[in-house]
Amino acid sequence: MRGGTTTVTGDEQRRDLGLLLLRLAVGGTLAAHGSQKLFGWFGGGGVKGSARFMESVGFDPGEPSAVAAGLAEGGGGTLLALGLATPAAGSAAAGAMTGASAVTWPNGFFAQKGGFELSGVLGAASLALAVSGPGCYSLDHVFRNVLNRPWMVPTALALVGTGTALVVHKRDQRVQRQKEQKAAETAESHTDSHTD
């Protein structure tokens, strides 16, 4: 501080420019991904098609799951790109990507094998932005960080983390029951074929 004004150094400008570029890339990608679920844009399935997919991977009921994921991705991504309500936006996007990673986790890391590479990186970047803040090239900065207070970071992360953990746990239980049911049906069909 000099004479009551804030002096921004070259290092701070570089950092804030880097945060802007990261926010635009991550937020833009998530916003586009969410719009596929919500509106069917960019070749997406819309709510109905996304609901069928969500049910097929264990998120039930499918339609509310698709809307929730679409809002977390699309809304969180848009807000991240704008740099508005960054703790909530980053937390919501990270939660959505954790749910996506739960589906692809068994396939390993790399996307070419159906792994969680993309969702993991997008989730980690969203989480990092929630924690770091958006920088000065953001709407949070314009609005004097009214929606970007330090206490909002742990609060948003705790709320979204708890909700995500519950949803993923229920999904994992559902998938496990489906596997057990299929195994039982397979064993029963083998038994029936041997008795014929």
Side-chain angles (χ1 to χ4, degrees):
M1 295 271 284
R2 288 190 192 149
T5 61
T6 303
T7 303
V8 179
T9 66
D11 285 344
E12 289 170 328
Q13 287 177 329
R14 283 179 50 213
R15 180 203 63 214
D16 289 339
L17 183 58
L19 286 170
L20 172 63
L21 294 172
L22 182 62
R23 286 191 354 254
L24 291 174
V26 172
T29 300
L30 287 164
H33 198 58
S35 72
Q36 290 178 307
K37 284 185 177 69
L38 294 174
F39 310 116
W41 296 351
F42 309 112
V47 172
K48 297 283 186 209
S50 298
R52 284 190 296 274
F53 172 75
M54 297 294 271
E55 286 177 357
S56 76
V57 295
F59 290 104
D60 191 41
E63 199 160 306
S65 297
V67 170
L71 288 174
E73 293 167 3
T78 300
L79 291 174
L80 277 178
L82 295 171
L84 181 62
T86 306
S91 297
M97 292 298 97
T98 300
S101 293
V103 174
T104 54
W105 183 267
N107 301 326
F109 178 73
F110 291 104
Q112 70 190 39
K113 298 198 179 210
F116 65 96
E117 180 179 5
L118 179 61
S119 57
V121 170
L122 288 173
S126 299
L127 181 61
L129 288 166
V131 172
S132 72
C136 71
Y137 303 120
S138 66
L139 288 181
D140 274 334
H141 182 75
V142 169
F143 297 130
R144 299 179 181 261
N145 291 307
V146 171
L147 299 174
N148 183 35
R149 302 284 186 212
W151 64 265
M152 294 176 180
V153 176
T155 303
L157 291 174
L159 290 172
V160 172
T162 301
T164 301
L166 290 171
V167 168
V168 168
H169 178 68
K170 280 185 158 183
R171 180 254 170 202
D172 289 346
Q173 286 181 320
R174 196 171 293 116
V175 168
Q176 185 60 37
R177 279 195 305 272
Q178 288 171 346
K179 283 181 183 175
E180 290 168 0
Q181 186 177 357
K182 265 188 186 170
E185 288 169 0
T186 302
E188 188 177 311
S189 69
H190 283 328
T191 303
D192 289 346
S193 65
H194 287 309
T195 56
D196 287 347

